[in-house]
Amino acid sequence: MFAFPASRLDRYVMRQLLGALLATTGGLAALIWLTQSLRFVGLVVDRGLSLRVFLQLTGLLIPGFIAVILPLTTFLVTQFIYNRLSGDREITVMQAAGLSPGAIARPALMAASLSVVLCYALNVWIVPASYHAFREYEFEIRNKMAAFLLQDGVFTRVSDTMTVYVRSRDPDGTLRGILVEDDRQKNSRATIIAEHGTLGTVGDTPRVVLYNGSREEIDRKTGRLNVLTFKRNTVDLASSSKSDDQRYADAAEMSIGELLHPDPRVVMDRDRGKFAVEAHRRLSAPLTALSFALVALVGVLMGGFSRHGNVVRPLVAILVVVGVVALGLVVQNIAARSPALIPLVWLQATLPGLICGWVLLRSTLRDPAPGAAGGPGSAARGRREPSMPGARPAARGA
């Protein structure tokens, strides 16, 4: 029934499923990456970073995209391939050759199982690690990296509150004609001008040492311009506030253990439910790939063949999957506020698959393969030749 030694027919269907799954998942992931990466174009362009940095930064988001769309592409590919096999009457030929619904569904179940394994690897290990690297890289770009890419004659926006202008740069790295617009302190915005300076790091923080310059500030209370001249001054080119220097971990970059047992110094009690739901979502979401594949199989295999095609069953299967996805979002929001309802996250991910699997299993047990052992009259049916209308039975002794 659901035995898994792969036959030549299984390999034939599996090649179509895996090829379509790879192409569909890759294409959708590339499309989502293209639309989502546009958010970071300004971050890279404003700080004068290269295309390589942009690709490295946004490429770290791709595993997260794949983890989200893989269950959906598994459903779409299963629905498309098996509908095409049905339209080409290949499923009819399989049934005539003695294959039960369970045997016909076996390649799709194998492909869906591979999707489940890949989703678990993504959700548990790859996505948290890649998103953590993305957050670290983004933080470095916003606060540190851009300071080392100062261009001659260009106003470089080092951060959201600081802009630096350098007139020229000597071969030894000395900066000439430096202008710094420092808006990190809203009540005392300053303009710093220096003849020359040098760029370096102190404790991974970029700093520029200025020589022979002045610092100009406008007193908000009196409206007077205060000018402070200096022979040597040091300016940090990273954000000075603690809230900007310290980066707090996001739930998406935490491991399963950190989500289930968060650090009380970092996570407030009111947010523990959200972290718990995120952990259970990661563990239950891969099972939706198998559930969605079973929904598609029931929609194709449980109906009779129609010469003109059948639109109702595929449409019902699509509506079921859309409803399950929407229900998952609602359940996660409710469970985040009431952790006692977290089992609903698992129920939403597995119940459609359990129902469709039971329907498929019942059909397989009710209509065993004509050539299968144990079927009533199977041997006789397996040897019987189709007869033409009006033909006489052949004599026994012939």
Side-chain angles (χ1 to χ4, degrees):
M1 182 176 54
F2 287 107
F4 272 78
S7 64
R8 182 179 301 177
L9 187 59
D10 292 337
R11 292 193 294 270
Y12 165 71
V13 180
M14 276 285 290
R15 281 196 300 269
Q16 300 184 57
L17 288 170
L18 294 181
L21 184 61
L22 181 62
T24 305
T25 305
L28 285 178
L31 180 62
I32 296 175
W33 170 82
L34 182 62
T35 56
Q36 294 297 316
S37 61
L38 296 178
R39 298 184 294 124
F40 304 98
V41 171
L43 172 65
V44 175
V45 172
D46 290 345
R47 286 160 173 77
L49 304 181
S50 63
L51 178 63
R52 180 181 62 86
V53 175
F54 172 75
L55 295 177
Q56 288 177 346
L57 176 67
T58 57
L60 294 172
L61 297 174
I62 294 179
F65 301 153
I66 296 177
V68 172
I69 66 175
L70 187 55
L72 297 176
T73 54
T74 301
F75 164 76
L76 293 175
V77 166
T78 304
Q79 180 94 331
F80 173 77
I81 295 297
Y82 274 77
N83 269 315
R84 188 178 62 78
L85 293 176
S86 178
D88 294 342
R89 298 196 180 184
E90 295 184 58
I91 290 182
T92 304
V93 174
M94 295 178 192
Q95 293 171 342
L99 294 181
S100 65
I104 297 174
R106 182 167 54 200
L109 297 178
M110 295 169 65
S113 299
L114 291 177
S115 297
V116 171
V117 173
L118 181 57
C119 282
Y120 268 115
L122 288 168
N123 283 353
V124 176
W125 295 292
I126 300 177
V127 172
S130 65
Y131 191 70
H132 176 75
F134 165 78
R135 292 288 304 276
E136 290 286 346
Y137 202 12
E138 182 188 24
F139 181 78
E140 183 180 357
I141 290 174
R142 291 185 182 276
N143 295 275
K144 299 175 182 179
M145 182 180 295
F148 296 99
L149 301 176
L150 300 178
Q151 301 180 15
D152 302 347
V154 176
F155 286 90
T156 303
R157 191 180 180 188
V158 176
S159 66
D160 295 337
T161 56
M162 180 175 291
T163 303
V164 179
Y165 174 84
V166 177
R167 186 180 67 245
S168 62
R169 186 193 300 263
D170 294 345
D172 61 355
T174 302
L175 307 177
R176 301 286 180 178
I178 303 172
L179 172 66
V180 179
E181 187 70 24
D182 188 357
D183 297 338
R184 288 175 293 183
Q185 299 180 5
K186 297 181 179 181
N187 295 328
S188 59
R189 297 179 178 178
T191 300
I192 305 172
I193 302 173
E195 293 182 0
H196 64 279
T198 57
L199 187 63
T201 59
V202 177
D204 293 334
T205 301
R207 293 182 179 180
V208 60
V209 181
L210 305 176
Y211 299 93
N212 300 330
S214 63
R215 178 186 179 94
E216 302 177 359
E217 296 182 12
I218 297 179
D219 192 335
R220 293 302 183 92
K221 296 181 179 180
T222 62
R224 297 178 56 184
L225 176 64
N226 299 326
V227 179
L228 174 66
T229 59
F230 56 84
K231 289 291 185 180
R232 184 178 183 275
N233 189 19
T234 302
V235 177
D236 293 343
L237 296 184
S239 178
S240 62
S241 61
K242 292 183 179 180
S243 60
D244 293 333
D245 286 341
Q246 185 178 3
R247 189 185 69 82
Y248 293 99
D250 188 82
E253 57 183 310
M254 292 183 177
S255 64
I256 299 296
E258 292 173 337
L259 291 172
L260 294 176
H261 307 285
D263 188 350
R265 295 172 299 180
V266 178
V267 180
M268 294 183 292
D269 292 339
R270 65 180 183 182
D271 294 331
R272 287 181 176 270
K274 297 179 182 178
F275 285 81
V277 169
E278 173 64 18
H280 287 276
R281 184 200 64 80
R282 286 193 204 173
L283 295 174
S284 63
L287 299 177
T288 58
L290 186 59
S291 294
F292 292 167
L294 285 167
V295 171
L297 289 170
V298 169
V300 176
L301 299 179
M302 292 300 101
F305 173 77
S306 176
R307 179 178 302 178
H308 304 288
N310 194 325
V311 182
V312 177
R313 294 198 307 271
L315 182 59
V316 170
I318 292 173
L319 292 177
V320 168
V321 171
V322 171
V324 171
V325 173
L327 180 62
L329 298 176
V330 175
V331 167
Q332 292 172 24
N333 290 330
I334 295 176
R337 294 191 292 267
S338 301
L341 300 178
I342 286 180
L344 293 179
V345 176
W346 289 89
L347 189 63
Q348 173 267 336
T350 57
L351 185 60
L354 293 175
I355 294 176
C356 293
W358 175 76
V359 172
L360 195 62
L361 178 62
R362 187 184 65 171
S363 176
T364 302
L365 295 176
R366 184 184 58 194
D367 301 323
S378 59
R381 287 198 300 269
R383 294 193 304 267
R384 185 176 299 164
E385 298 288 342
S387 59
M388 297 296 295
R392 295 180 179 180
R396 292 187 178 181

